[in-house]
Amino acid sequence: MRDSPITATVDFAQDGVQHGHLRLPHSRDDSAWGSVMIPITVVKAGEGPTALFTGGNHGDEYEGPVALFDLVRQLRAEEIQGRVIIVPAMNYPAFLAARRTSPVDGGNLNRLFPGRPDGSVTEKIADYFQRVLLPMADLVADIHSGGKTLDFVPFAAAHRLDDPAQEARCRAAMEAFNAPYSLMLREIDNVGMYDTAAEEMGKTFISTELGGGGSVTAERVAIAKRGLRNLLVHAGILPGEVTRVQSVLLDMPGDDCFLFAEHRGLLEPCIDLGQPVAAGQLVAKVHPIEASGRTPAEYRAKMDGILTGRHFPGLIGMGDCLAMLAVPTNGD
Ligand code: CA
């Protein structure tokens, strides 16, 4: 396969703090020989594990970029052992446009792995992570939230994996991140995800959903900042102790966790995030908006659990993810 067209302006083998770019040639109307310039920071001190931290995989999710643009200015080479590679806004064109997907090619970065070196701009970014950045990493954390169309209780997540030892490593990292909730996450469809790419390489990988709605809160940013530092301590890159608060461990036992809209209209939540719900209980109504006086559709929980995620905008469309439930567990 051909080499990636992306050039890093940082040297991954050099000790110290380097702020630079991943330069991706992108010829276009307003810049014939132009490039997409994706910010990247490398902090390295001697030998040790490598942590790869990312945000902005989806461009309308801000908890990761806020915490990571902050972290890169805090980290000093003298205080670490090993290497930290940080890309605060992976799908940088999408991030600049405040969109989930790229305005350049429509690419949803988290559905395009392993990418292609000769593909679209977004496929080229995926390919660079697949073949250059991920192979360098021991611990990988990708900070997500719900973006403009979803909202979640703040959780860190790991997946069930075929290799129990790898799953245990990922679970330990999830618990070290120490968000208020820790979830063994069931994906709707994991094909093409960065998560899957990292896990298939045997990496210790966690993701998060730290909120959403297309903005941030002070509380959720603080969770992201504390979690990222905790991960560096957990990996032995930063000295000290992992800061621990109570985290509710959650599991998703099956596809009944998800409710998808089968109507379009005006969304009326009947319970809020973090609240318990019993099977059969009303989760939300969808009011028809074509005329007044019509009966709303009712969406009821298919299982006991707590409301972990929800559709965010006031209007909902056919097929939108309306709610996600998860079940508190003791970790067995
Ligand atoms: Ca996301």
Side-chain angles (χ1 to χ4, degrees):
M1 195 180 284
R2 69 176 63 191
D3 287 346
S4 172
I6 293 178
T7 308
T9 68
V10 292
D11 177 352
F12 294 104
Q14 184 184 310
D15 279 357
V17 177
Q18 301 168 76
H19 303 292
H21 293 91
L22 303 174
R23 188 173 61 77
L24 166 54
H26 175 41
S27 176
R28 56 197 195 267
D29 285 344
D30 65 346
S31 186
W33 288 8
S35 298
V36 175
M37 300 291 280
I38 304 167
I40 184 169
T41 293
V42 181
V43 184
K44 183 175 178 297
E47 299 304 311
T50 293
L52 173 60
F53 290 168
T54 48
N57 186 335
H58 293 126
D60 63 345
E61 303 173 2
Y62 298 100
E63 290 79 357
V66 171
L68 291 168
F69 273 111
D70 185 72
L71 180 62
V72 297
R73 293 190 313 105
Q74 312 284 336
L75 282 179
R76 299 189 312 280
E78 307 79 62
E79 67 180 341
I80 74 158
Q81 182 69 44
R83 181 167 57 177
V84 187
I85 301 171
I86 295 178
V87 181
M90 278 174 100
N91 194 346
Y92 196 61
F95 174 74
L96 289 181
R99 285 173 46 160
R100 178 174 179 82
T101 60
S102 177
V104 177
D105 54 20
N108 180 344
L109 179 57
N110 214 28
R111 298 293 183 275
L112 287 174
F113 276 81
R116 296 169 58 103
D118 56 354
S120 69
V121 163
T122 312
E123 288 173 317
K124 288 171 178 169
I125 295 171
D127 172 68
Y128 189 82
F129 275 85
Q130 177 81 28
R131 291 193 297 144
V132 179
L133 294 181
L134 278 177
M136 286 194 266
D138 301 291
L139 169 66
V140 183
D142 190 27
I143 307 302
H144 284 253
S145 73
K148 290 178 176 173
T149 67
L150 291 168
D151 196 13
F152 292 97
V153 297
F155 67 79
H159 297 110
R160 302 233 178 265
L161 300 173
D162 292 337
D163 176 359
Q166 186 188 8
E167 182 180 311
R169 279 189 276 122
C170 297
R171 182 189 278 257
M174 169 185 79
E175 290 175 356
F177 188 92
N178 200 231
Y181 296 86
S182 302
L183 174 66
M184 293 308 288
L185 180 63
R186 189 179 186 88
E187 298 291 348
I188 294 169
D189 178 3
N190 73 357
V191 174
M193 292 180 69
Y194 180 54
D195 313 48
T196 309
E199 287 161 356
E200 285 179 349
M201 270 183 231
K203 305 302 180 184
T204 301
F205 177 87
I206 69 155
S207 67
T208 69
E209 300 288 355
L210 293 181
S215 187
V216 296
T217 67
E219 181 193 12
R220 289 160 170 192
V221 167
I223 292 165
K225 289 182 180 181
R226 185 188 70 215
L228 290 164
R229 282 205 166 262
N230 273 350
L231 284 180
L232 293 179
V233 172
H234 176 71
I237 294 172
L238 272 181
E241 297 286 320
V242 170
T243 309
R244 289 198 189 269
V245 299
Q246 180 68 34
S247 181
V248 178
L249 192 57
L250 298 171
D251 202 357
M252 298 177 70
D255 290 339
D256 283 352
C257 292
F258 295 103
L259 293 176
F260 292 94
E262 295 175 17
H263 307 80
R264 63 182 287 269
L266 182 60
L267 180 66
E268 179 187 346
C270 300
I271 57 166
D272 286 321
L273 287 176
Q275 290 186 328
V277 58
Q281 188 181 332
L282 197 56
V283 173
K285 299 178 191 173
V286 176
H287 294 272
I289 48 177
E290 290 75 16
S292 54
R294 296 188 178 173
T295 305
E298 293 185 342
Y299 287 83
R300 293 180 179 277
K302 292 185 267 187
M303 49 178 259
D304 295 349
I306 67 166
L307 186 65
T308 307
R310 53 157 286 193
H311 180 77
F312 187 77
L315 297 178
I316 192 162
M318 285 290 289
D320 289 351
C321 183
L322 184 147
M324 186 183 108
L325 304 180
V327 182
T329 164
N330 59 12
D332 295 339

